[in-house]
């Protein structure tokens, strides 16, 4: 949002499968405090260019660019980070190298990517899928090699918990008690190891649930304390929660919840948006969570369908080999589960038929 005075700023990295629009729910809280808010899309996400989402490894460089920009503007005094899911993991990966950050709100970060992948496999087993342990180990090693080759980083380095004991920025950790995607023990383990001032709040709901009013109240007190915002900067009479709505809508139930209200054209222009909320990428939804889990099972050669994930339309086609990395993909996959290359490119190269071999 535009800067109007020398003040504090809350930088909001987006969540997994992200878009900066999800930060609209926090706008009134920032304004009520007398702070500005800077929301952005990571490379490869939302409306930013880029081929890969690296779950925090390269995204921390995007975050550094944003922080450097805010400081160079000379309109910002102190900076806090507010991240959810991948955004929270990215803040942790950045925080130990930038102690000048005043505070961090870390909602549902994963502790370690390999740990998360293994837990997702365990969930698949609970749903009846059979994935032998040695297959999982082989697949993770293969994925690590493929990611290293295609994207230039080692997935073993995606371990926010490894940075926790080197980070001294005051941090408020948040986790959903019913989160079955990034279980709340990830936040608990990071919190236990974290070196700086810290607090952990477990809220009702899952990975995608809107957060309750009391958490917004806690965040307000936390930011007032560590950003040292003068009381006379606050917006009188403003409700930081506002039922999760942006400030141009007041007290309407449902935003960021199960039903998403549609803004009219005037409100969209005021917000600088050119699409309705129905058309926006609003972060990790339940459907995207199932897609992410299914992608992992496919990579591990498990096939099948997990939990309550929606079934594919019609029977799956034959397995196909990716023309870029040669990974053998499930027939229902529209893109390579290892490197993301569209299935159509492999078909055009003559590799769209039922190839054999590969992991699984």
């Amino acid at each position: 949002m535009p800067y109007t005075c020398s003040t504090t700023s809350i930088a909001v990295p987006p969540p997994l499968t992200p878009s900066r629009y999800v930060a609209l729910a926090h706008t009134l809280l920032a304004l009520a405090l007398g702070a500005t808010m800077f929301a952005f899309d990571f490379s490869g996400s939302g409306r930013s260019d880029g081929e890969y989402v690296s779950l925090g490894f390269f995204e921390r460089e995007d975050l550094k660019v944003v922080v450097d920009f805010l400081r160079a503007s000379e309109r910002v005094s102190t900076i806090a980070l507010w991240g959810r899911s991948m955004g929270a993991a990215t803040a942790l990966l950045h925080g130990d190298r930038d102690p000048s950050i005043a505070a961090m709100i870390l909602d549902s970060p994963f502790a370690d990517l390999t740990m998360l992948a293994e837990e997702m496999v365990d969930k698949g087993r609970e749903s009846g899928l059979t994935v032998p342990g040695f297959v999982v180990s082989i697949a993770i090693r293969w994925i690590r090699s493929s990611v290293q080759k295609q994207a230039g980083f080692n997935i073993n380095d995606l371990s926010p918990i490894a940075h926790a004991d080197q980070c001294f920025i005051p941090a408020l950790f948040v986790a959903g008690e019913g989160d079955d995607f990034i279980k709340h023990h990830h936040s608990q383990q990071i919190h236990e190891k974290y070196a700086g001032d810290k607090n952990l709040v477990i809220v009702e709901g899952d990975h995608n649930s809107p957060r309750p009013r009391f958490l917004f109240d806690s965040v307000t007190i936390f930011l007032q304390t560590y950003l040292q915002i003068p009381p006379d900067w606050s917006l009188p009479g403003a409700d930081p929660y506002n039922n999760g709505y942006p400030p141009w809508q007041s007290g309407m139930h449902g935003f960021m919840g199960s039903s998403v209200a549609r803004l009219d054209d005037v409100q969209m222009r005021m917000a600088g948006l050119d699409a309705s909320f129905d058309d926006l990428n609003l972060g990790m939804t339940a459907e995207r969570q199932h897609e992410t889990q299914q992608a992992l099972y496919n990579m591990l050669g498990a096939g099948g369908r997990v939990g309550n994930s929606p079934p594919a339309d019609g029977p799956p086609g034959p397995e196909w080999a990716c023309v870029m990395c040669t990974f053998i993909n499930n027939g229902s996959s529209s893109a390579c589960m290892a490197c993301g290359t569209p299935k159509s490119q492999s078909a055009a190269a003559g590799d769209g038929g039922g190839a054999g071999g590969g992991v699984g």
Side-chain angles (χ1 to χ4, degrees):
M1 54 189 297
Y3 308 109
T4 56
C5 61
S6 179
T7 182
T8 61
S9 185
I10 304 169
V12 185
L16 186 62
T17 319
S19 169
R20 65 191 182 278
Y21 299 131
V22 75
L24 290 174
H26 309 321
T27 305
L28 195 54
L29 185 147
L31 294 177
L33 285 169
T36 59
M37 185 178 74
F38 188 103
F40 65 98
D41 289 334
F42 287 130
S43 298
S45 304
R47 298 190 174 182
S48 293
D49 294 333
E51 295 183 42
Y52 301 107
V53 172
S54 64
L55 301 181
F57 186 85
F58 292 123
E59 284 78 6
R60 59 183 163 180
E61 304 305 326
D62 295 343
L63 180 55
K64 181 180 184 301
V65 169
V66 168
V67 171
D68 290 346
F69 169 78
L70 291 173
R71 291 191 175 123
S73 72
E74 299 184 352
R75 297 181 179 183
V76 171
S77 54
T78 52
I79 297 175
L81 305 178
W82 189 341
R84 186 164 175 172
S85 192
M86 182 178 75
T90 301
L92 281 163
L93 293 172
H94 175 74
D96 63 342
R97 63 182 186 179
D98 189 355
S100 66
I101 298 294
M104 297 193 299
I105 303 157
L106 305 168
D107 190 335
S108 307
F110 60 85
D112 180 89
L113 183 61
T114 301
M115 178 198 305
L116 178 62
E118 292 171 346
E119 289 175 356
M120 291 170 67
V121 172
D122 289 339
K123 182 179 179 181
R125 287 173 175 149
E126 293 172 1
S127 300
L129 296 182
T130 302
V131 186
F134 76 91
V135 173
V136 175
S137 299
I138 293 172
I140 289 178
R141 287 199 298 270
W142 192 95
I143 293 167
R144 181 171 63 244
S145 175
S146 179
V147 170
Q148 181 75 60
K149 178 181 178 180
Q150 297 293 327
F153 71 96
N154 190 333
I155 62 172
N156 285 349
D157 294 332
L158 278 171
S159 183
I161 195 170
H163 296 250
D165 61 353
Q166 305 167 50
C167 192
F168 297 89
I169 300 167
L172 176 62
F173 291 86
V174 182
E177 186 174 13
D179 193 337
D180 63 352
F181 182 54
I182 300 178
K183 297 181 179 180
H184 59 76
H185 73 79
H186 284 258
S187 292
Q188 290 171 325
Q189 290 177 11
I190 301 172
H191 173 263
E192 290 173 2
K193 191 176 178 182
Y194 196 78
D197 292 342
K198 58 190 177 182
N199 192 18
L200 171 64
V201 180
I202 305 296
V203 299
E204 292 184 356
D206 57 27
H207 195 72
N208 315 301
S209 299
R211 297 319 190 197
R213 173 180 289 276
F214 84 84
L215 178 64
F216 278 65
D217 294 337
S218 299
V219 168
T220 298
I221 296 170
F222 175 76
L223 291 176
Q224 283 176 330
T225 300
Y226 288 105
L227 292 180
Q228 300 182 350
I229 304 174
D232 58 357
W233 285 12
S234 63
L235 187 64
D239 178 7
Y241 182 57
N242 197 37
N243 283 326
Y245 266 79
W248 56 88
Q249 290 198 339
S250 177
M252 297 180 65
H253 176 71
F255 179 67
M256 300 304 295
S258 58
S259 60
V260 179
R262 176 182 288 275
L263 302 182
D264 62 32
D265 292 341
V266 174
Q267 291 166 328
M268 295 302 294
R269 287 196 296 271
M270 287 174 60
L273 309 178
D274 56 6
S276 73
F277 274 115
D278 289 357
D279 301 323
L280 298 179
N281 178 349
L282 287 173
M284 175 59 75
T285 64
E287 181 179 357
R288 288 172 181 148
Q289 176 180 327
H290 288 307
E291 290 174 355
T292 302
Q293 291 171 329
Q294 189 66 48
L296 177 66
Y297 303 134
N298 289 343
M299 281 191 291
L300 298 176
R305 188 164 63 90
V306 179
N308 296 319
S309 56
D313 295 330
E319 292 181 341
W320 56 278
C322 175
V323 69
M324 291 296 295
C325 67
T326 72
F327 185 78
I328 306 301
N329 290 273
N330 186 291
S332 62
S333 302
S334 60
C336 178
M337 293 302 174
C339 71
T341 300
K343 181 179 181 180
S344 58
Q345 292 189 18
S346 295
D351 293 327
V359 177

